[in-house]
C-alpha cells in the first residue's frame, strides 16, 4: 500500500511538472473525469444471478451499477508535437477502484508515437485503442463525450469481452475521395490476448500469433457526421483448461494448455444530425478450439448497443433512449470468464449477461461540462431492476 501511494505521488509530481513544461514547450495537457450519484430499487433482476455474482463475481458489486456517490478518478492525456509530422501521446488514468473502496489504481490507456506521413497513410507505434468499431475508439470511458451514462459491457475494459486495447503497430488513413464522400481505413498488428481476457500484454508476447484488426469506414457528407463502418479482428489465444463450473480453478504450472482462434466482427452506423443522433453497433465473435481438447466448440458471443437522442434548445439539451444486450456462450465459454491471480491460478468467475433499456437527458451546462440524468431498467442478471443516476462529466 505504501509503495502504491508513493507511486501515485510520483505520477502526480510528473503530471504537474509536465504541465509547467507545457508553458515553454509545444506540449498539450488535457484530462477528463466524472462524478455521479446513483439510487437503486426493486431488488436484483434475477435472484439466482445475484447469489452467483455474490459468491463468484469478478468484482464486489456489478460493474457500472451506481449506488450512492461515486468518483471515477481522472484521466490525463499528454500530447507532444515533436515535429510537424511527428507526435507523441500518453494517456494515464488515475482510477478509483469500484465498489465500496478508496483504493487507487494506475492504468496506462495509451502511449504511442504517431507518424503523420500524408492523408492516405499514417502510422502509430506503441499502445493504442484497438481500431475496431466506433464506441471503443471514440467514446469509451469518456463520459463528457457520451450522451448516456452507462459504459457498454462489450467494450468495458474490466470485462475484456473484446480486445479494446492493443500494443503493436497501427496504420490508418483515407483511401480515396468520391466527390464529398470519403473512405477511411485502419489496420493493426498487435500482441495476442492474455491468458485471461482482462490481461493486456504490453511486452514479451511469446508463443502466439499476433492479433490482426481491420476497419473500413464510409463517411457521407449529408449530415454533421454520418459514417457506416465494418471492422473485425483475428486473434490467437493461448490459455489453460479450467473446469466448466463457475468457481473452478487450475494452476498454469499443471493445467492442460488450450489454444483458441478468435474471429471478431463489428459493424456500426453513426449519425449526428441537426435535430437527432443515432448510434447502432453490433459485435460478434467466435472462438474455435485448435487443440481439440474442449467440448462445445465453437464458442460464440454477441452484443448490441442502440442509442437515439434529440438535439434541443440550441443543441444543449439531449433527451435519449438506449438499449443494450450481451449474450455469452454457456457459462461464459473457456476464456471470457477466466481471471488469473498473482500465483498463476486461473479461476472461472461469473460474468453476467446484460440486457437493459435506459432513458435520460444530457444537458451541456458549459462547453466542457455535461450534466446527465438517467433511469435504467435491467431485464435480467444480478443488477437491480431499476436505477437512477445523476452524473457530472467534465473535461479540460
Amino acid at each position: 500500500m505504501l509503495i502504491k501511494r508513493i507511486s501515485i505521488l510520483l505520477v502526480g509530481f510528473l503530471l504537474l511538472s509536465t504541465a509547467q513544461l507545457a508553458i515553454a514547450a509545444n506540449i498539450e495537457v488535457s484530462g477528463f473525469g466524472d462524478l455521479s450519484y446513483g439510487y437503486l430499487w426493486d431488488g436484483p433482476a434475477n435472484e439466482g444471478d445475484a447469489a452467483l455474482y455474490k459468491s463468484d463475481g469478478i468484482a464486489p458489486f456489478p460493474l457500472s451499477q451506481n449506488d450512492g456517490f461515486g468518483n471515477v478518478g481522472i484521466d490525463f492525456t499528454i500530447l507532444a508535437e515533436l515535429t510537424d509530422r511527428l507526435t507523441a501521446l500518453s494517456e494515464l488514468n488515475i482510477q478509483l477502484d469500484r465498489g465500496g473502496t478508496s483504493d487507487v489504481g494506475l492504468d496506462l490507456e495509451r502511449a504511442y508515437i504517431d507518424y503523420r506521413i500524408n492523408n492516405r497513410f499514417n502510422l502509430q507505434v506503441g499502445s493504442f485503442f484497438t481500431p475496431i468499431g466506433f464506441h471503443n475508439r471514440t467514446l469509451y470511458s469518456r463520459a463528457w463525450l457520451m450522451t448516456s451514462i452507462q459504459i457498454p459491457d462489450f467494450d468495458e475494459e474490466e470485462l475484456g469481452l473484446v480486445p479494446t486495447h492493443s500494443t503493436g503497430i497501427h496504420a490508418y488513413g483515407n483511401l480515396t475521395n468520391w466527390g464529398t464522400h470519403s473512405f477511411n481505413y485502419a489496420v493493426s498488428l498487435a500482441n495476442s490476448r492474455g491468458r485471461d481476457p482482462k490481461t493486456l500484454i504490453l511486452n514479451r508476447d511469446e508463443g502466439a500469433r499476433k492479433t490482426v484488426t481491420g476497419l473500413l469506414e464510409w463517411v457521407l457528407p449529408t449530415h454533421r457526421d454520418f459514417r457506416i463502418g465494418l471492422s473485425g479482428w483475428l486473434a490467437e489465444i493461448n490459455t489453460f483448461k479450467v473446469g466448466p463450473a463457475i468457481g473452478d480453478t487450475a494452476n498454469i504450472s499443471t493445467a492442460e494448455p488450450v489454444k483458441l482462434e478468435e474471429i471478431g466482427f463489428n459493424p456500426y452506423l453513426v449519425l449526428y444530425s441537426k435535430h437527432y443522433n443515432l448510434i447502432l453497433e453490433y459485435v460478434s465473435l467466435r472462438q474455435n478450439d485448435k487443440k481439440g481438447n474442449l467440448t462445445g466448440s465453437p464458442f460464440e458471443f454477441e452484443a448490441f448497443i442502440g442509442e437515439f437522442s434529440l438535439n434541443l434548445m440550441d443543441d444543449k439539451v439531449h433527451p435519449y433512449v438506449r438499449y443494450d444486450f450481451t449474450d455469452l456462450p454457456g457459462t461464459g465459454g473457456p476464456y471470457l470468464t477466466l481471471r488469473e491471480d498473482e500465483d498463476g491460478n486461473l479461476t472461472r468467475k461469473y460474468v453476467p449477461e446484460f440486457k437493459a433499456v435506459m432513458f435520460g437527458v444530457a444537458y451541456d451546462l458549459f462547453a466542457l461540462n455535461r450534466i446527465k440524468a438517467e433511469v435504467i431498467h435491467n431485464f435480467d442478471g444480478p443488477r437491480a431492476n431499476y436505477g437512477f443516476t445523476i452524473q457530472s462529466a467534465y473535461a479540460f
Side-chain angles (χ1 to χ4, degrees):
M1 181 63 69
L2 178 60
I3 294 176
K4 179 182 285 189
R5 290 177 177 174
I6 292 174
S7 299
I8 293 170
L9 288 173
L10 288 174
V11 170
F13 175 76
L14 176 62
L15 291 169
L16 288 174
S17 300
T18 304
Q20 291 177 339
L21 287 172
I23 299 174
N26 196 15
I27 298 176
E28 296 180 7
V29 180
S30 59
F32 57 88
D34 62 90
L35 306 107
S36 63
Y37 174 78
Y39 176 73
L40 307 172
W41 71 94
D42 195 21
N46 186 297
E47 294 284 354
D49 290 345
L52 190 58
Y53 195 92
K54 186 176 181 179
S55 63
D56 292 288
I58 59 173
F61 302 97
L63 300 176
S64 301
Q65 178 177 261
N66 300 292
D67 189 13
F69 291 100
N71 186 350
V72 300
I74 191 167
D75 193 300
F76 288 96
T77 301
I78 301 171
L79 177 64
E81 294 281 352
L82 304 180
T83 72
D84 60 345
R85 293 181 179 272
L86 182 64
T87 61
L89 183 143
S90 297
E91 183 177 344
L92 181 67
N93 186 5
I94 302 178
Q95 179 175 292
L96 301 180
D97 291 348
R98 306 180 190 183
T101 178
S102 60
D103 291 342
V104 179
L106 297 177
D107 190 10
L108 181 67
E109 295 286 347
R110 293 181 290 172
Y112 61 78
I113 295 290
D114 194 337
Y115 298 90
R116 295 176 299 195
I117 300 170
N118 55 49
N119 190 47
R120 295 182 182 274
F121 183 77
N122 304 277
L123 213 54
Q124 291 178 356
V125 180
S127 298
F128 44 84
F129 293 136
T130 308
I132 53 175
F134 175 78
H135 202 279
N136 181 62
R137 295 179 300 133
T138 310
L139 299 178
Y140 172 69
S141 82
R142 285 151 172 75
W144 171 61
L145 295 176
M146 292 174 58
T147 303
S148 53
I149 293 176
Q150 180 78 27
I151 297 174
D153 270 17
F154 75 77
D155 64 357
E156 166 61 69
E157 186 178 357
E158 296 297 316
L159 294 176
L161 299 176
V162 304
T164 58
H165 295 65
S166 294
T167 296
I169 187 167
H170 169 212
Y172 67 96
N174 181 268
L175 284 175
T176 184
N177 289 322
W178 175 35
T180 54
H181 297 242
S182 65
F183 294 89
N184 302 324
Y185 77 93
V187 180
S188 74
L189 181 67
N191 287 341
S192 61
R193 302 187 73 178
R195 286 192 289 260
D196 71 17
K198 185 181 174 182
T199 299
L200 300 175
I201 300 179
L202 299 178
N203 198 7
R204 293 192 65 85
D205 179 27
E206 300 176 351
R209 294 200 315 254
K210 299 297 181 276
T211 299
V212 179
T213 64
L215 177 145
L216 183 62
E217 186 177 70
W218 176 22
V219 182
L220 294 82
T222 54
H223 296 82
R224 291 179 179 176
D225 188 0
F226 185 15
R227 58 191 65 216
I228 300 172
L230 177 63
S231 61
W233 71 94
L234 177 63
E236 184 178 273
I237 301 169
N238 287 328
T239 185
F240 294 89
K241 190 173 182 179
V242 181
I246 299 299
D248 285 350
T249 299
N251 190 274
I252 62 174
S253 63
T254 57
E256 185 178 355
V258 166
K259 185 185 291 291
L260 299 169
E261 180 186 64
E262 182 176 85
I263 303 172
F265 175 68
N266 185 191
Y268 60 92
L269 180 149
V270 178
L271 171 61
Y272 289 101
S273 72
K274 181 178 180 180
H275 301 294
Y276 65 90
N277 315 301
L278 178 66
I279 299 176
L280 301 174
E281 187 160 0
Y282 173 78
V283 177
S284 174
L285 70 82
R286 171 180 290 196
Q287 294 173 342
N288 297 299
D289 174 20
K290 302 301 289 183
K291 282 185 173 290
N293 56 351
L294 299 173
T295 58
S297 178
F299 308 93
E300 297 180 341
F301 162 80
E302 63 177 350
F304 172 79
I305 171 177
E307 180 183 277
F308 178 79
S309 61
L310 299 173
N311 303 320
L312 306 176
M313 296 179 61
D314 296 326
D315 211 20
K316 290 185 176 181
V317 177
H318 311 281
Y320 63 87
V321 58
R322 180 177 138 190
Y323 173 74
D324 288 19
F325 80 80
T326 62
D327 185 10
L328 278 78
T331 57
Y335 178 69
L336 295 177
T337 60
L338 297 183
R339 293 298 184 271
E340 184 178 358
D341 64 18
E342 296 178 354
D343 297 322
N345 296 309
L346 281 169
T347 303
R348 188 169 301 287
K349 296 287 188 177
Y350 173 54
V351 176
E353 296 178 334
F354 185 73
K355 187 178 182 181
V357 62
M358 290 139 272
F359 302 90
V361 60
Y363 173 51
D364 294 326
L365 180 63
F366 300 106
L368 298 176
N369 184 207
R370 174 169 283 187
I371 308 296
K372 311 173 194 177
E374 179 177 283
V375 174
I376 184 171
H377 171 45
N378 292 290
F379 295 101
D380 203 359
R383 295 177 171 96
N385 269 299
Y386 297 96
F388 173 73
T389 305
I390 298 175
Q391 182 189 73
S392 177
Y394 60 91
F396 59 86

